[in-house]
Amino acid sequence: MFYNLNTLFVEDLTGQGFKDIQQRIIRTPLEPYQTFKDDPLRVLRLIRFASRLGYTIDSAAEESMGNSDIKEALKLKISRERVGIEVEKMLKGPDPHRALALIDRLELYETIFTDFEGKFVPETERLRPAYDTVRDICSATSQADADLGLGSHAEAVINEILIRSDDEKYLAWQLAALVPWADAPTLEPTKPGAKAPPPVASSVARAGIDATNKVCAVVTAAVNHMSDITNLKDRFCDRKRFPHRRVDGEDATARDTLGMAVRRWGATWRSQAMFALLCEVSAAGNESREDILESYSVFFSYLQSLDLLEAYAFKPLLDGKSLATALSAPTGPWMKNALDVVMAWQLRHPEKAASPSAKDEAIEEVKNSRVQGELKARLVAHVLSLTIRPLFAKTQHPAITSRGRAVTTAVLAKPYAANLEAEEVLRPWKTGDGAFALDLLRWALRNLDATLVELHWGLLIPPLLTIVDDTDPEYKAIGCEFVALLLAVTPPALLARTGLGEVIHDALMPALAYLPSLTPEPAAVVLANAAYPALLALIRVRFPTGEAVPAPPFATTSKAKPPPFRLHDPRTAALSALLRAGPLAALAHLAPTSNHPALTTALLTHLASIVREMGVRAVPHLQHVLPLLSSILTDPFGPAHPPGLLAAARALQAVLLSAWPRVGPWRGEVVKGVLGCWVGIVVWQREHAEGPRSGELERVRAELRTAVGMLRAVVVADGEGGFEGEVQALLAADPRLRGLFEA
């Protein structure tokens, strides 16, 4: 039909135009097959006009539209951009339902929404339930009208929550059209390590109808999250139906669970939820559509009641930099999941998160080891399970199980080839990408209490022993430091129950053998300062009371008389073994100790700690300890390194304080060491007047005077006289001793 500008009349050249308009029929002006063959895109235009105007397509035209030749021509000859434009106009038009119904009835679906690779066949029988459901939801009345019985309440709720704009309505129709591709198998990456291809439905949207990047992104997210959305909705409904049933895993009605799900789905979660709903309706078995819609409406209403519809846009209380600073850890890939823990805490406690001081309080709780709270406990659990554990997965300690218990059965050695893997693969926690692990683990250990240790024991022990077993002195020292932090809050009953006392002891002891010349002195000092506190902490936890227990029976024959019953103190035995294998053996190895002054100082400090821990039970070791201290104090090169003399003098005080009941016979050795050190300092100061070490040497002299005062008290306690006379004789013999015996 044409409008004649000369006659000002509409001319109906076919003779059927006016009649077809009256009867609301749409047809081709020429023979349909040839018309569509000339331009296959006319098939889509006919559908668009029919849906837009509410017309019926002529039966002859419909027959030709479904012709296989026409469909093949439409699929191959027409650019997908032109196809996409027509489909977009249909779905944004006044009646998208009619357009999809025509595509479905004329069997044009695979021609339009096509997978050019042809690997999968769409389930076209799922198309009609999908577009029927979208029609019913989009045309639903308001909730107020539905409450008055003027429509479906479930459809009204879903409409008001999911369809807020024309864009979301268009996406709903677009997603309904792609439902037949929803269950297409997931494509595998083309090569190992490569990114997985997008879902088939997304590929169909892009390649079939030239959908925009935004639409394809929504389709991809909808397919990827479909199972997550459906499962969460089902768990929510089960929880509501059976509120007293025990919950395994996350509570699907909890605000943090639901809020984090919305954040996980993102800003387009409404469209994704619509897709999940349509997929479930289109694949419904025995469950009715009304029941499915009701379950989703209840789910969405609950989200609305908890003010979670916009949870994806909630501002986190802490940013990555603030959290990394609070944890004293470098920024890295660990932050995203850790920030999710903080956000989950915000969602659980909206009233706290709304407080003006919430951020400062959260930072203080995370940073301060003396402050315990739910946020910190959740962060500790997250760091240990999801950050630390994967990084140590390939270096499992052979003496412990994955649950943090001692191995009680023989374990086959790993194949030799397994030990040839690259360091960044075998021990990622030592490389650049995983180096943050040690800082996070240190933070977690510093913020443990007995309850958290019990809860996460199986996550703590494996990485710690792996670090301790490392051959690098730097990492071994870090491992010893971590073990000491853990043992400081470990309940003795837990260590006994897991049977790991001996395992930890065997892992720590080799650290004591890292001595010069094989190990540089600075590294040996760092390692000693970490290993000895860890071993002492282990003894305190393994033997918390020091109570005597019966010694193992001796091996005897039936005729031999058994020996008398003896008491054996395992705590003292452990401390004695540590003293002998540790400081005493190391100092003997270093002789003369003046060649390694820094390490000697460290060893003497730890010797004093062990002696103080032993108390009077250190008496059997006087024969070794006092001559050693005396030789170090009288070393002529001692004043060149005052910290060493200071440590020796304090170690001597620890011996006098702990083993004083039996020091009497060793009085001469004590006096020898003190006098030799004092005189050596006097000589050094005369030769190096006003030297840089004068102040330090004065502190040594003060400690020596303290040691003499302690010895005087021991002699008095023993009831022996003559000490003051001996002092006067010494002063008369060597005037350089003046000041030593002053109280």
Side-chain angles (χ1 to χ4, degrees), residues 370-489:
R370 293 187 297 274
V371 178
Q372 294 296 330
E374 180 195 351
L375 175 58
K376 178 178 289 183
R378 297 270 183 169
L379 276 173
V380 167
H382 165 79
V383 165
L384 294 176
S385 60
L386 298 182
T387 303
I388 301 300
R389 188 175 189 175
L391 293 174
F392 288 83
K394 291 196 173 183
T395 49
Q396 178 69 31
H397 194 282
I400 58 174
T401 67
S402 59
R403 297 178 63 85
R405 294 178 176 271
V407 172
T408 57
T409 57
V411 179
L412 294 177
K414 290 185 178 180
Y416 179 69
N419 298 321
L420 299 180
E421 293 186 76
E423 183 80 350
E424 59 270 17
V425 175
L426 197 61
R427 297 177 180 84
W429 48 273
K430 294 178 68 174
T431 60
D433 291 340
F436 59 83
L438 299 182
D439 293 308
L440 290 179
L441 187 52
R442 180 181 286 107
W443 172 84
L445 290 165
R446 286 176 174 171
N447 289 278
L448 291 173
D449 57 20
T451 302
L452 291 177
V453 171
E454 288 267 9
L455 190 61
H456 303 302
W457 182 258
L459 298 173
L460 290 162
I461 284 295
L464 264 56
L465 293 189
T466 297
I467 302 172
V468 170
D469 272 0
D470 198 87
T471 56
D472 189 329
E474 177 186 357
Y475 288 101
K476 188 176 282 290
I478 293 173
C480 293
E481 172 201 348
F482 287 178
V483 170
L485 289 172
L486 175 63
L487 292 172
V489 289

Side-chain angles (χ1 to χ4, degrees), residues 182-394:
D183 289 336
T186 303
L187 298 175
E188 297 295 330
T190 54
K191 57 183 179 180
K195 185 179 179 181
V200 174
S202 183
S203 299
V204 168
R206 186 177 297 280
I209 58 174
D210 194 38
T212 63
N213 290 336
K214 176 183 177 181
V215 170
C216 291
V218 173
V219 174
T220 299
V223 175
N224 290 339
H225 293 148
M226 178 176 62
S227 296
D228 189 18
I229 294 171
T230 304
N231 290 338
L232 180 59
K233 185 268 300 182
D234 289 342
R235 289 191 290 117
F236 166 82
C237 293
D238 287 343
R239 182 66 174 154
K240 282 294 185 180
R241 191 178 299 114
F242 307 106
H244 302 297
R245 181 180 292 175
R246 186 173 65 89
V247 177
D248 293 326
E250 295 180 321
D251 182 357
T253 62
R255 192 172 189 271
D256 58 326
T257 301
L258 296 171
M260 292 307 295
V262 172
R263 292 181 65 82
R264 188 165 60 247
W265 303 331
T268 61
W269 76 268
R270 289 177 169 86
S271 297
Q272 298 173 44
M274 176 65 78
F275 184 73
L277 181 155
L278 296 175
C279 289
E280 191 168 349
V281 166
S282 66
N286 298 326
E287 190 174 8
S288 68
R289 191 188 82 151
E290 289 69 24
D291 289 340
I292 294 173
L293 293 179
E294 181 64 25
S295 67
Y296 274 96
S297 70
V298 172
F299 179 61
F300 297 145
S301 296
Y302 190 75
L303 290 178
Q304 188 176 45
S305 69
L306 295 180
D307 193 24
L308 291 176
L309 298 182
E310 310 301 324
Y312 61 87
F314 288 176
K315 184 178 179 181
L317 194 60
L318 302 179
D319 57 25
K321 185 176 180 180
S322 300
L323 184 61
T325 302
L327 269 62
S328 302
T331 57
W334 61 270
M335 291 192 304
K336 180 182 181 300
N337 291 331
L339 288 172
D340 285 345
V341 175
V342 179
M343 175 53 70
W345 177 85
Q346 285 181 238
L347 291 167
R348 282 192 299 277
H349 305 286
E351 71 290 344
K352 292 183 180 179
S355 169
S357 61
K359 179 176 180 179
D360 294 337
E361 292 173 0
I363 291 176
E364 179 64 18
E365 179 178 333
V366 173
K367 183 187 297 185
N368 193 337
S369 61
R370 293 187 297 274
V371 178
Q372 294 296 330
E374 180 195 351
L375 175 58
K376 178 178 289 183
R378 297 270 183 169
L379 276 173
V380 167
H382 165 79
V383 165
L384 294 176
S385 60
L386 298 182
T387 303
I388 301 300
R389 188 175 189 175
L391 293 174
F392 288 83
K394 291 196 173 183

